[in-house]
Amino acid sequence: MMLLNTLLDELTGRGSGTEAEQQERYKWLQQLRCTNPQAAEGGPMAGIPGYYWSRLPQALTVAGQQTDLLVGTMNAQYLVFAGRHAAAFGAELGLQYDANNHIDRPGGIDELLDAYEEEADGSWTTLPAGQPAPPLAGWDDVYFRVRDLSDGITIQSVTTIAYESSRFPGYTLLGTTLVGAGAIAHDDETAQYMQQIFADWAIQRDCAASCPPSSTPWPCTPRQAPPLPSGTPFDFGRNLAYLDALLTAYVRAQARAQDDGGDSANWACAAASVAYQVFSLRYTAGRPLPEVNSALEAAVAACETARAALAAAYDDDALPAFDFEQLTDYARTLQLLGATLLFGRHDLAARLAALQTAFDGEDGVYEALLSAIDPQRPAVDEWYFAEPYSTLYDCLDEADAAQQLEHLRQYLASWHGALVHEDWFNGHLRAQGLGGYYGLWAFEAAAVAMHLGLERSALAHWVMPPSP
């Protein structure tokens, strides 16, 4: 019974016990190893990665749910519960939702592809209720808490997660996983980085706790809505309140860091990222265009603040707000620039261009977009990322309207899948918690269509923004 209790404490993140207790528990679990036929290829648990399974001598109970089945991987072990209980486990154990794919998953998340079917007209539908998702396709939900085990000599942490995935529909994992492969030697820079991450997660958790679910239906018609696996409507009101609270918290954290000599640039960049999300979700939620326009202007202003903070931190006034050598920065620049052009805010487009002078004349897609407001921009026939942006460049470089349409169709078809490593990828399928979804929009594609005078009705696609 003592070993069961200490095992439950470890798997739920309450504590791991002494090193001697951990060793005793490990030897005990080895004796309980079993063969689980349900985990064989084609079985209902085949999607749960692990190299050993164990049957416990007595069921353990969490949030009213019982199981005696445990699976172990190289760096982790999890209780396996029948049914979907991640949200309930999160509430019981005080876990927070991983909206941005920052927590290690058992087996990784990169292979999770779209769990929707695209129709001939470019619309999208979810998989029918009760139909299992195809292999390596679907949704993914994680609730987590991180315990810092650093001791001044080494840096180490362990994460408690409640995990559901369409790779094993009908089951929930609850357990602990080590972040990375064990501890790393302590150094001040890494320790400070970890402290910032923990502080960021704490801010997100507190902001989420301050935003209860909406009690009334959303009054606007959304421009895009995520197909939640649960079938429940997306709570636009709560998510907007959360992002607004998060933006305020990051701005406050930046001000504190400036006063106490902390890393204000880190918080300024976090605020700029959320400011874009605020704009995007307001647009997605169907809010009136004047309100969306104001949010877009605030997003550009947040980028200017972030650039100033970066310049001060690195003592380099020429430092850009976005690093085009990083796909995350490059993709966000094109989205934001595309939005300013789509909304006819050439003043904001010029302000964005002023933040990126370090990359002037280096990227053909970026220069071609800016040529809509400045014909003197240089013509460049190379770009930083071929996927998915080469087809967008081909569209801008093509004179024939039919070919332009075809290139843009190819771009829209490949845009989401090509950006699988971005933290907002599949946000529409991770929208159970707060902040996971704020709309998935290729604003740059709409800006190109408008610039070239293409027929928008021929480009119907779920990531294509409707005309403002």
Side-chain angles (χ1 to χ4, degrees):
M1 178 62 72
M2 182 189 71
L3 289 173
L4 276 170
N5 289 338
T6 61
L7 176 65
L8 182 61
D9 285 345
E10 178 170 89
L11 296 178
T12 55
R14 297 185 177 100
S16 301
T18 65
E19 186 173 346
E21 289 173 335
Q22 293 177 48
Q23 288 295 326
E24 184 181 3
R25 193 166 58 243
Y26 174 78
K27 294 177 183 178
W28 174 66
L29 286 174
Q30 294 304 304
Q31 298 171 2
L32 299 174
R33 288 177 64 168
C34 67
T35 299
N36 182 6
Q38 293 180 303
E41 184 176 356
M45 296 185 186
I48 300 178
Y51 72 95
Y52 70 81
W53 293 79
S54 299
R55 283 285 181 190
L56 303 176
Q58 181 177 327
L60 297 177
T61 302
V62 182
Q65 304 300 321
Q66 293 188 331
T67 187
D68 64 352
L69 185 62
L70 181 142
V71 63
T73 67
M74 288 298 292
N75 291 308
Q77 53 187 1
Y78 309 95
L79 292 169
V80 182
F81 293 83
R84 296 190 60 187
H85 309 295
F89 292 159
E92 173 81 8
L93 300 172
L95 312 181
Q96 67 187 98
Y97 188 75
D98 178 29
N100 302 311
N101 286 346
H102 289 162
I103 300 302
D104 290 343
R105 269 73 164 163
I109 192 174
D110 293 348
E111 297 83 6
L112 288 175
L113 301 179
D114 301 339
Y116 57 84
E117 296 174 327
E118 193 163 327
E119 306 300 328
D121 63 357
S123 63
W124 43 302
T125 59
T126 58
L127 293 170
Q131 178 177 324
L136 301 182
W139 45 266
D140 168 274
D141 279 319
V142 168
Y143 294 79
F144 76 98
R145 179 178 60 243
V146 177
R147 278 191 296 137
D148 186 3
L149 305 180
S150 304
D151 56 10
I153 300 173
T154 59
I155 296 174
Q156 187 176 24
S157 61
V158 63
T159 306
T160 301
I161 69 170
Y163 181 44
E164 298 173 2
S165 169
S166 56
R167 284 178 294 181
F168 44 91
Y171 296 92
T172 302
L173 303 187
L174 175 66
T176 55
T177 180
L178 288 174
V179 177
I184 61 175
H186 184 280
D187 69 85
D188 291 342
E189 183 177 351
T190 303
Q192 182 182 18
Y193 173 70
M194 294 296 290
Q195 289 170 359
Q196 287 179 341
I197 290 177
F198 294 151
D200 191 358
W201 285 336
I203 288 174
Q204 293 179 40
R205 182 181 63 248
D206 292 344
C207 289
S210 70
C211 300
S214 301
S215 58
T216 58
W218 183 243
C220 304
T221 301
R223 296 178 175 92
Q224 185 189 85
L228 294 184
S230 64
T232 57
F234 182 71
D235 193 336
F236 281 104
R238 188 186 185 202
N239 275 265
L240 278 170
Y242 168 72
L243 289 181
D244 286 340
L246 192 58
L247 179 57
T248 299
Y250 284 154
V251 171
R252 190 180 301 121
Q254 183 201 357
R256 284 198 303 267
Q258 284 179 321
D259 292 339
D260 61 21
D263 188 355
S264 64
N266 170 72
W267 299 113
C269 290
S273 179
V274 173
Y276 173 83
Q277 296 173 27
V278 169
F279 149 72
S280 182
L281 187 56
R282 275 175 161 67
Y283 177 78
T284 303
R287 296 301 299 164
L289 288 178
E291 180 181 323
V292 175
N293 214 316
S294 296
L296 177 60
E297 187 166 354
V300 173
C303 292
E304 292 170 330
T305 300
R307 194 267 184 95
L310 288 167
Y314 292 95
D315 194 22
D316 183 356
D317 289 337
L319 208 64
F322 299 97
D323 181 0
F324 279 6
E325 295 181 356
Q326 304 297 321
L327 179 57
T328 297
D329 279 15
Y330 183 83
R332 181 51 48 81
T333 303
L334 293 192
Q335 285 178 300
L336 197 48
L337 178 59
T340 63
L341 296 174
L342 180 64
F343 281 81
R345 293 300 304 270
H346 293 181
D347 58 322
L348 297 182
R351 284 166 60 180
L352 276 176
L355 302 177
Q356 296 299 113
T357 54
F359 291 101
D360 281 355
E362 293 192 11
D363 185 87
V365 177
Y366 174 72
E367 294 296 344
L369 281 171
L370 280 176
S371 69
I373 63 168
D374 182 5
Q376 302 304 313
R377 300 293 302 194
V380 181
D381 61 358
E382 57 185 9
W383 47 91
Y384 276 90
F385 295 96
E387 296 295 332
Y389 298 103
S390 59
T391 51
L392 189 61
Y393 177 86
D394 291 340
C395 175
L396 289 161
D397 193 49
E398 177 62 59
D400 180 72
Q403 286 299 308
Q404 289 172 345
L405 275 172
E406 183 57 31
H407 287 313
L408 206 48
R409 287 194 193 99
Q410 292 178 16
Y411 180 72
L412 292 167
S414 65
W415 181 81
H416 181 246
L419 298 170
V420 64
H421 293 290
E422 298 309 296
D423 60 12
W424 43 263
F425 176 82
N426 266 357
H428 59 305
L429 303 176
R430 285 182 293 101
Q432 302 282 58
L434 292 171
Y437 168 79
Y438 44 89
L440 294 173
W441 298 111
F443 284 112
E444 65 277 13
V448 167
M450 183 175 69
H451 174 58
L452 297 176
L454 299 179
E455 177 54 52
R456 292 286 297 278
S457 62
L459 293 166
H461 192 281
W462 69 279
V463 302
M464 181 67 151
S467 299

